[in-house]
């Protein structure tokens, strides 16, 4: 595991309870709905990539989807399993071991923000291989052009900011077709929307 991963996971591990309390009521239904609307089946099989404490596992499961979580932070894996009753895999994003052609959708909500720019295409290719034909991915990313450690009271998180013009070529180079993109939170002027969301499809016929 690379140094930036170890440091970032350690910070999440140390703050797992406060992270759960601080994010559980965040409304990301817009992103969940964008994934479901783009998937080839509804209900379908979904991978929640970077599932954290399990908020979206619960939401997808309640909608009738078969959902599996994945996170690199041990505390989040335990939390997510307990609260959702779903299968949760402990894996690093840079060393994914995913079953091929298995998921109708991948939900990457504020998780791929920790992938270095130089590794993004490789990671997206790994994810694409796990999608069925016409499967969908939703990526919610912090906007900006920064890359490096974000200093927090409890440690550091490695964070990368993207804009559409910088991220879209990576998504397409990985073999995805971009279906849609938008900015969040809704209702604000674009310059005040700090999140970019891309919806992309695996346009491959098996």
């Amino acid at each position: 595991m690379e140094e930036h991963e170890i440091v970032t996971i350690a910070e999440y591990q140390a703050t797992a309870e406060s992270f759960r309390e601080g994010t559980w009521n965040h409304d990301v239904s817009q992103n969940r709905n964008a994934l479901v609307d783009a998937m080839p089946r509804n209900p379908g099989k979904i991978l929640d990539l970077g599932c954290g404490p399990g908020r979206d596992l619960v939401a997808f499961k309640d909608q009738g989807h078969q959902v599996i979580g994945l996170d690199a932070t041990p505390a989040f894996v335990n939390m997510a399993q307990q609260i959702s009753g779903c299968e949760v895999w402990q894996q690093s994003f840079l060393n994914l071991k995913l079953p091929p052609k298995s998921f109708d959708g991948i939900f990457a909500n504020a998780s791929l923000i920790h992938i270095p720019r130089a590794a993004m295409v490789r990671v997206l290719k790994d994810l694409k291989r796990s999608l069925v034909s016409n499967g969908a991915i939703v990526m919610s990313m912090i906007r900006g052009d920064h890359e490096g450690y974000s200093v927090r009271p409890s440690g550091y998180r490695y964070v990368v900011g993207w804009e559409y013009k910088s991220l879209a070529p990576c998504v397409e180079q990985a073999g995805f077709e971009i279906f849609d993109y938008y900015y969040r939170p809704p209702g604000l002027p674009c310059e005040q929307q700090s999140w970019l969301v891309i919806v992309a499809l695996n346009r491959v016929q098996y």
Side-chain angles (χ1 to χ4, degrees), residues 122-150:
R122 174 173 67 82
V123 171
L124 288 174
K125 286 181 177 179
D126 288 343
L127 294 172
K128 182 176 180 293
R129 282 191 288 269
S130 75
L131 284 169
V132 301
S133 177
N134 296 317
I137 184 171
V138 164
M139 310 164 54
S140 179
M141 311 294 283
I142 292 175
R143 293 180 67 188
D145 59 4
H146 55 280
E147 177 170 7
Y149 288 107
S150 170

PDB file of all heavy atoms in Angstrom, residues 122-150:
ATOM      1  N   ARG A 122      -5.937   4.114 -14.700  1.00  0.00           N
ATOM      2  CA  ARG A 122      -5.775   2.694 -14.343  1.00  0.00           C
ATOM      3  C   ARG A 122      -6.896   2.226 -13.424  1.00  0.00           C
ATOM      4  O   ARG A 122      -7.457   1.140 -13.610  1.00  0.00           O
ATOM      5  CB  ARG A 122      -4.418   2.469 -13.687  1.00  0.00           C
ATOM      6  CG  ARG A 122      -4.234   1.041 -13.167  1.00  0.00           C
ATOM      7  CD  ARG A 122      -2.830   0.781 -12.664  1.00  0.00           C
ATOM      8  NE  ARG A 122      -2.486   1.528 -11.473  1.00  0.00           N
ATOM      9  CZ  ARG A 122      -2.817   1.152 -10.233  1.00  0.00           C
ATOM     10  NH1 ARG A 122      -3.528   0.051 -10.037  1.00  0.00           N
ATOM     11  NH2 ARG A 122      -2.427   1.874  -9.199  1.00  0.00           N
ATOM     12  N   VAL A 123      -7.230   3.034 -12.422  1.00  0.00           N
ATOM     13  CA  VAL A 123      -8.290   2.657 -11.487  1.00  0.00           C
ATOM     14  C   VAL A 123      -9.640   2.592 -12.207  1.00  0.00           C
ATOM     15  O   VAL A 123     -10.437   1.664 -11.992  1.00  0.00           O
ATOM     16  CB  VAL A 123      -8.343   3.639 -10.302  1.00  0.00           C
ATOM     17  CG1 VAL A 123      -9.573   3.381  -9.436  1.00  0.00           C
ATOM     18  CG2 VAL A 123      -7.076   3.528  -9.470  1.00  0.00           C
ATOM     19  N   LEU A 124      -9.905   3.549 -13.079  1.00  0.00           N
ATOM     20  CA  LEU A 124     -11.163   3.541 -13.826  1.00  0.00           C
ATOM     21  C   LEU A 124     -11.258   2.311 -14.737  1.00  0.00           C
ATOM     22  O   LEU A 124     -12.336   1.739 -14.907  1.00  0.00           O
ATOM     23  CB  LEU A 124     -11.309   4.826 -14.636  1.00  0.00           C
ATOM     24  CG  LEU A 124     -11.592   6.094 -13.827  1.00  0.00           C
ATOM     25  CD1 LEU A 124     -11.578   7.320 -14.738  1.00  0.00           C
ATOM     26  CD2 LEU A 124     -12.921   5.994 -13.099  1.00  0.00           C
ATOM     27  N   LYS A 125     -10.138   1.905 -15.320  1.00  0.00           N
ATOM     28  CA  LYS A 125     -10.140   0.688 -16.139  1.00  0.00           C
ATOM     29  C   LYS A 125     -10.466  -0.540 -15.291  1.00  0.00           C
ATOM     30  O   LYS A 125     -11.207  -1.427 -15.731  1.00  0.00           O
ATOM     31  CB  LYS A 125      -8.794   0.512 -16.833  1.00  0.00           C
ATOM     32  CG  LYS A 125      -8.560   1.458 -18.006  1.00  0.00           C
ATOM     33  CD  LYS A 125      -7.206   1.210 -18.648  1.00  0.00           C
ATOM     34  CE  LYS A 125      -7.000   2.096 -19.868  1.00  0.00           C
ATOM     35  NZ  LYS A 125      -5.665   1.891 -20.491  1.00  0.00           N
ATOM     36  N   ASP A 126      -9.920  -0.589 -14.070  1.00  0.00           N
ATOM     37  CA  ASP A 126     -10.235  -1.687 -13.148  1.00  0.00           C
ATOM     38  C   ASP A 126     -11.730  -1.731 -12.854  1.00  0.00           C
ATOM     39  O   ASP A 126     -12.354  -2.802 -12.833  1.00  0.00           O
ATOM     40  CB  ASP A 126      -9.459  -1.535 -11.839  1.00  0.00           C
ATOM     41  CG  ASP A 126      -7.978  -1.835 -11.983  1.00  0.00           C
ATOM     42  OD1 ASP A 126      -7.584  -2.460 -12.987  1.00  0.00           O
ATOM     43  OD2 ASP A 126      -7.204  -1.432 -11.085  1.00  0.00           O
ATOM     44  N   LEU A 127     -12.308  -0.561 -12.625  1.00  0.00           N
ATOM     45  CA  LEU A 127     -13.733  -0.485 -12.317  1.00  0.00           C
ATOM     46  C   LEU A 127     -14.570  -0.867 -13.532  1.00  0.00           C
ATOM     47  O   LEU A 127     -15.577  -1.575 -13.407  1.00  0.00           O
ATOM     48  CB  LEU A 127     -14.088   0.921 -11.840  1.00  0.00           C
ATOM     49  CG  LEU A 127     -13.456   1.341 -10.511  1.00  0.00           C
ATOM     50  CD1 LEU A 127     -13.720   2.809 -10.227  1.00  0.00           C
ATOM     51  CD2 LEU A 127     -13.962   0.477  -9.368  1.00  0.00           C
ATOM     52  N   LYS A 128     -14.163  -0.409 -14.691  1.00  0.00           N
ATOM     53  CA  LYS A 128     -14.916  -0.697 -15.918  1.00  0.00           C
ATOM     54  C   LYS A 128     -15.016  -2.190 -16.166  1.00  0.00           C
ATOM     55  O   LYS A 128     -16.063  -2.689 -16.604  1.00  0.00           O
ATOM     56  CB  LYS A 128     -14.262   0.008 -17.104  1.00  0.00           C
ATOM     57  CG  LYS A 128     -14.987  -0.177 -18.436  1.00  0.00           C
ATOM     58  CD  LYS A 128     -14.311   0.631 -19.526  1.00  0.00           C
ATOM     59  CE  LYS A 128     -15.034   0.458 -20.866  1.00  0.00           C
ATOM     60  NZ  LYS A 128     -14.922  -0.899 -21.411  1.00  0.00           N
ATOM     61  N   ARG A 129     -13.948  -2.914 -15.890  1.00  0.00           N
ATOM     62  CA  ARG A 129     -13.953  -4.359 -16.124  1.00  0.00           C
ATOM     63  C   ARG A 129     -14.970  -5.083 -15.242  1.00  0.00           C
ATOM     64  O   ARG A 129     -15.401  -6.196 -15.567  1.00  0.00           O
ATOM     65  CB  ARG A 129     -12.553  -4.938 -15.893  1.00  0.00           C
ATOM     66  CG  ARG A 129     -11.591  -4.702 -17.053  1.00  0.00           C
ATOM     67  CD  ARG A 129     -10.314  -5.511 -16.882  1.00  0.00           C
ATOM     68  NE  ARG A 129      -9.468  -4.964 -15.823  1.00  0.00           N
ATOM     69  CZ  ARG A 129      -8.517  -4.060 -16.035  1.00  0.00           C
ATOM     70  NH1 ARG A 129      -8.289  -3.585 -17.241  1.00  0.00           N
ATOM     71  NH2 ARG A 129      -7.780  -3.623 -15.021  1.00  0.00           N
ATOM     72  N   SER A 130     -15.342  -4.468 -14.126  1.00  0.00           N
ATOM     73  CA  SER A 130     -16.297  -5.121 -13.223  1.00  0.00           C
ATOM     74  C   SER A 130     -17.747  -4.809 -13.573  1.00  0.00           C
ATOM     75  O   SER A 130     -18.660  -5.363 -12.961  1.00  0.00           O
ATOM     76  CB  SER A 130     -16.015  -4.697 -11.772  1.00  0.00           C
ATOM     77  OG  SER A 130     -16.457  -3.383 -11.533  1.00  0.00           O
ATOM     78  N   LEU A 131     -17.963  -3.945 -14.554  1.00  0.00           N
ATOM     79  CA  LEU A 131     -19.319  -3.579 -14.956  1.00  0.00           C
ATOM     80  C   LEU A 131     -19.823  -4.483 -16.074  1.00  0.00           C
ATOM     81  O   LEU A 131     -19.066  -4.889 -16.960  1.00  0.00           O
ATOM     82  CB  LEU A 131     -19.360  -2.132 -15.448  1.00  0.00           C
ATOM     83  CG  LEU A 131     -19.305  -1.036 -14.387  1.00  0.00           C
ATOM     84  CD1 LEU A 131     -19.092   0.319 -15.043  1.00  0.00           C
ATOM     85  CD2 LEU A 131     -20.577  -1.025 -13.548  1.00  0.00           C
ATOM     86  N   VAL A 132     -21.124  -4.734 -16.053  1.00  0.00           N
ATOM     87  CA  VAL A 132     -21.756  -5.427 -17.177  1.00  0.00           C
ATOM     88  C   VAL A 132     -21.800  -4.484 -18.368  1.00  0.00           C
ATOM     89  O   VAL A 132     -21.529  -3.280 -18.257  1.00  0.00           O
ATOM     90  CB  VAL A 132     -23.184  -5.887 -16.810  1.00  0.00           C
ATOM     91  CG1 VAL A 132     -23.168  -6.822 -15.609  1.00  0.00           C
ATOM     92  CG2 VAL A 132     -24.095  -4.679 -16.534  1.00  0.00           C
ATOM     93  N   SER A 133     -22.166  -5.022 -19.530  1.00  0.00           N
ATOM     94  CA  SER A 133     -22.351  -4.177 -20.703  1.00  0.00           C
ATOM     95  C   SER A 133     -23.412  -3.113 -20.414  1.00  0.00           C
ATOM     96  O   SER A 133     -24.484  -3.416 -19.883  1.00  0.00           O
ATOM     97  CB  SER A 133     -22.792  -5.044 -21.881  1.00  0.00           C
ATOM     98  OG  SER A 133     -23.044  -4.263 -23.014  1.00  0.00           O
ATOM     99  N   ASN A 134     -23.086  -1.875 -20.733  1.00  0.00           N
ATOM    100  CA  ASN A 134     -23.956  -0.716 -20.488  1.00  0.00           C
ATOM    101  C   ASN A 134     -24.113  -0.391 -19.004  1.00  0.00           C
ATOM    102  O   ASN A 134     -24.978   0.409 -18.639  1.00  0.00           O
ATOM    103  CB  ASN A 134     -25.334  -0.897 -21.140  1.00  0.00           C
ATOM    104  CG  ASN A 134     -25.238  -0.973 -22.650  1.00  0.00           C
ATOM    105  OD1 ASN A 134     -24.510  -0.206 -23.275  1.00  0.00           O
ATOM    106  ND2 ASN A 134     -25.953  -1.916 -23.243  1.00  0.00           N
ATOM    107  N   GLY A 135     -23.276  -0.997 -18.149  1.00  0.00           N
ATOM    108  CA  GLY A 135     -23.269  -0.626 -16.744  1.00  0.00           C
ATOM    109  C   GLY A 135     -22.822   0.819 -16.561  1.00  0.00           C
ATOM    110  O   GLY A 135     -22.157   1.404 -17.429  1.00  0.00           O
ATOM    111  N   ALA A 136     -23.175   1.392 -15.423  1.00  0.00           N
ATOM    112  CA  ALA A 136     -22.953   2.821 -15.192  1.00  0.00           C
ATOM    113  C   ALA A 136     -22.084   3.064 -13.965  1.00  0.00           C
ATOM    114  O   ALA A 136     -22.080   2.262 -13.028  1.00  0.00           O
ATOM    115  CB  ALA A 136     -24.293   3.534 -15.012  1.00  0.00           C
ATOM    116  N   ILE A 137     -21.359   4.168 -14.007  1.00  0.00           N
ATOM    117  CA  ILE A 137     -20.629   4.637 -12.833  1.00  0.00           C
ATOM    118  C   ILE A 137     -20.999   6.089 -12.590  1.00  0.00           C
ATOM    119  O   ILE A 137     -21.174   6.867 -13.539  1.00  0.00           O
ATOM    120  CB  ILE A 137     -19.095   4.493 -13.010  1.00  0.00           C
ATOM    121  CG1 ILE A 137     -18.361   4.901 -11.719  1.00  0.00           C
ATOM    122  CG2 ILE A 137     -18.587   5.280 -14.217  1.00  0.00           C
ATOM    123  CD1 ILE A 137     -16.868   4.590 -11.741  1.00  0.00           C
ATOM    124  N   VAL A 138     -21.169   6.438 -11.322  1.00  0.00           N
ATOM    125  CA  VAL A 138     -21.347   7.830 -10.908  1.00  0.00           C
ATOM    126  C   VAL A 138     -20.165   8.198 -10.029  1.00  0.00           C
ATOM    127  O   VAL A 138     -19.879   7.525  -9.037  1.00  0.00           O
ATOM    128  CB  VAL A 138     -22.668   8.033 -10.152  1.00  0.00           C
ATOM    129  CG1 VAL A 138     -22.668   9.353  -9.393  1.00  0.00           C
ATOM    130  CG2 VAL A 138     -23.838   8.008 -11.122  1.00  0.00           C
ATOM    131  N   MET A 139     -19.464   9.269 -10.426  1.00  0.00           N
ATOM    132  CA  MET A 139     -18.298   9.755  -9.694  1.00  0.00           C
ATOM    133  C   MET A 139     -18.593  11.166  -9.193  1.00  0.00           C
ATOM    134  O   MET A 139     -18.870  12.054  -9.994  1.00  0.00           O
ATOM    135  CB  MET A 139     -17.067   9.820 -10.620  1.00  0.00           C
ATOM    136  CG  MET A 139     -16.793   8.579 -11.407  1.00  0.00           C
ATOM    137  SD  MET A 139     -15.635   8.871 -12.780  1.00  0.00           S
ATOM    138  CE  MET A 139     -14.248   9.612 -11.910  1.00  0.00           C
ATOM    139  N   SER A 140     -18.546  11.355  -7.895  1.00  0.00           N
ATOM    140  CA  SER A 140     -18.694  12.679  -7.302  1.00  0.00           C
ATOM    141  C   SER A 140     -17.329  13.144  -6.813  1.00  0.00           C
ATOM    142  O   SER A 140     -16.736  12.517  -5.930  1.00  0.00           O
ATOM    143  CB  SER A 140     -19.695  12.643  -6.141  1.00  0.00           C
ATOM    144  OG  SER A 140     -19.828  13.924  -5.559  1.00  0.00           O
ATOM    145  N   MET A 141     -16.827  14.237  -7.394  1.00  0.00           N
ATOM    146  CA  MET A 141     -15.444  14.663  -7.185  1.00  0.00           C
ATOM    147  C   MET A 141     -15.371  16.108  -6.711  1.00  0.00           C
ATOM    148  O   MET A 141     -16.139  16.969  -7.170  1.00  0.00           O
ATOM    149  CB  MET A 141     -14.670  14.542  -8.504  1.00  0.00           C
ATOM    150  CG  MET A 141     -14.828  13.203  -9.212  1.00  0.00           C
ATOM    151  SD  MET A 141     -14.105  11.822  -8.314  1.00  0.00           S
ATOM    152  CE  MET A 141     -12.368  12.093  -8.688  1.00  0.00           C
ATOM    153  N   ILE A 142     -14.429  16.387  -5.831  1.00  0.00           N
ATOM    154  CA  ILE A 142     -14.178  17.758  -5.410  1.00  0.00           C
ATOM    155  C   ILE A 142     -13.630  18.551  -6.593  1.00  0.00           C
ATOM    156  O   ILE A 142     -12.762  18.077  -7.322  1.00  0.00           O
ATOM    157  CB  ILE A 142     -13.172  17.793  -4.238  1.00  0.00           C
ATOM    158  CG1 ILE A 142     -13.808  17.187  -2.979  1.00  0.00           C
ATOM    159  CG2 ILE A 142     -12.707  19.213  -3.947  1.00  0.00           C
ATOM    160  CD1 ILE A 142     -12.857  17.069  -1.819  1.00  0.00           C
ATOM    161  N   ARG A 143     -14.136  19.761  -6.775  1.00  0.00           N
ATOM    162  CA  ARG A 143     -13.661  20.595  -7.870  1.00  0.00           C
ATOM    163  C   ARG A 143     -12.360  21.314  -7.490  1.00  0.00           C
ATOM    164  O   ARG A 143     -12.125  21.643  -6.337  1.00  0.00           O
ATOM    165  CB  ARG A 143     -14.717  21.629  -8.253  1.00  0.00           C
ATOM    166  CG  ARG A 143     -15.965  21.016  -8.856  1.00  0.00           C
ATOM    167  CD  ARG A 143     -16.984  22.071  -9.210  1.00  0.00           C
ATOM    168  NE  ARG A 143     -16.505  22.939 -10.304  1.00  0.00           N
ATOM    169  CZ  ARG A 143     -17.136  24.030 -10.704  1.00  0.00           C
ATOM    170  NH1 ARG A 143     -18.253  24.418 -10.100  1.00  0.00           N
ATOM    171  NH2 ARG A 143     -16.657  24.752 -11.699  1.00  0.00           N
ATOM    172  N   GLY A 144     -11.526  21.538  -8.496  1.00  0.00           N
ATOM    173  CA  GLY A 144     -10.279  22.258  -8.277  1.00  0.00           C
ATOM    174  C   GLY A 144      -9.153  21.642  -9.076  1.00  0.00           C
ATOM    175  O   GLY A 144      -9.353  20.693  -9.843  1.00  0.00           O
ATOM    176  N   ASP A 145      -7.953  22.175  -8.885  1.00  0.00           N
ATOM    177  CA  ASP A 145      -6.789  21.642  -9.591  1.00  0.00           C
ATOM    178  C   ASP A 145      -5.682  21.247  -8.616  1.00  0.00           C
ATOM    179  O   ASP A 145      -4.521  21.119  -8.989  1.00  0.00           O
ATOM    180  CB  ASP A 145      -6.261  22.648 -10.619  1.00  0.00           C
ATOM    181  CG  ASP A 145      -5.865  23.976  -9.979  1.00  0.00           C
ATOM    182  OD1 ASP A 145      -5.930  24.096  -8.728  1.00  0.00           O
ATOM    183  OD2 ASP A 145      -5.481  24.893 -10.725  1.00  0.00           O
ATOM    184  N   HIS A 146      -6.043  21.057  -7.355  1.00  0.00           N
ATOM    185  CA  HIS A 146      -5.070  20.748  -6.318  1.00  0.00           C
ATOM    186  C   HIS A 146      -4.841  19.240  -6.219  1.00  0.00           C
ATOM    187  O   HIS A 146      -5.687  18.437  -6.595  1.00  0.00           O
ATOM    188  CB  HIS A 146      -5.548  21.288  -4.962  1.00  0.00           C
ATOM    189  CG  HIS A 146      -6.926  20.797  -4.586  1.00  0.00           C
ATOM    190  ND1 HIS A 146      -8.078  21.352  -5.105  1.00  0.00           N
ATOM    191  CD2 HIS A 146      -7.338  19.801  -3.759  1.00  0.00           C
ATOM    192  CE1 HIS A 146      -9.132  20.720  -4.610  1.00  0.00           C
ATOM    193  NE2 HIS A 146      -8.713  19.772  -3.794  1.00  0.00           N
ATOM    194  N   GLU A 147      -3.693  18.862  -5.703  1.00  0.00           N
ATOM    195  CA  GLU A 147      -3.385  17.470  -5.402  1.00  0.00           C
ATOM    196  C   GLU A 147      -2.383  17.433  -4.265  1.00  0.00           C
ATOM    197  O   GLU A 147      -1.331  18.065  -4.338  1.00  0.00           O
ATOM    198  CB  GLU A 147      -2.802  16.736  -6.615  1.00  0.00           C
ATOM    199  CG  GLU A 147      -2.396  15.294  -6.306  1.00  0.00           C
ATOM    200  CD  GLU A 147      -2.040  14.477  -7.534  1.00  0.00           C
ATOM    201  OE1 GLU A 147      -1.969  15.052  -8.644  1.00  0.00           O
ATOM    202  OE2 GLU A 147      -1.845  13.250  -7.385  1.00  0.00           O
ATOM    203  N   GLY A 148      -2.740  16.720  -3.200  1.00  0.00           N
ATOM    204  CA  GLY A 148      -1.818  16.608  -2.078  1.00  0.00           C
ATOM    205  C   GLY A 148      -2.568  16.401  -0.779  1.00  0.00           C
ATOM    206  O   GLY A 148      -3.764  16.103  -0.760  1.00  0.00           O
ATOM    207  N   TYR A 149      -1.859  16.559   0.323  1.00  0.00           N
ATOM    208  CA  TYR A 149      -2.441  16.298   1.634  1.00  0.00           C
ATOM    209  C   TYR A 149      -3.267  17.473   2.128  1.00  0.00           C
ATOM    210  O   TYR A 149      -2.834  18.625   2.082  1.00  0.00           O
ATOM    211  CB  TYR A 149      -1.338  15.996   2.652  1.00  0.00           C
ATOM    212  CG  TYR A 149      -0.700  14.646   2.462  1.00  0.00           C
ATOM    213  CD1 TYR A 149       0.584  14.526   1.935  1.00  0.00           C
ATOM    214  CD2 TYR A 149      -1.387  13.482   2.809  1.00  0.00           C
ATOM    215  CE1 TYR A 149       1.170  13.279   1.765  1.00  0.00           C
ATOM    216  CE2 TYR A 149      -0.811  12.234   2.633  1.00  0.00           C
ATOM    217  CZ  TYR A 149       0.460  12.140   2.112  1.00  0.00           C
ATOM    218  OH  TYR A 149       1.030  10.912   1.927  1.00  0.00           O
ATOM    219  N   SER A 150      -4.470  17.143   2.578  1.00  0.00           N
ATOM    220  CA  SER A 150      -5.332  18.094   3.263  1.00  0.00           C
ATOM    221  C   SER A 150      -5.098  17.931   4.762  1.00  0.00           C
ATOM    222  O   SER A 150      -5.248  16.829   5.306  1.00  0.00           O
ATOM    223  CB  SER A 150      -6.797  17.813   2.914  1.00  0.00           C
ATOM    224  OG  SER A 150      -7.669  18.566   3.725  1.00  0.00           O
TER     225      SER A 150
END
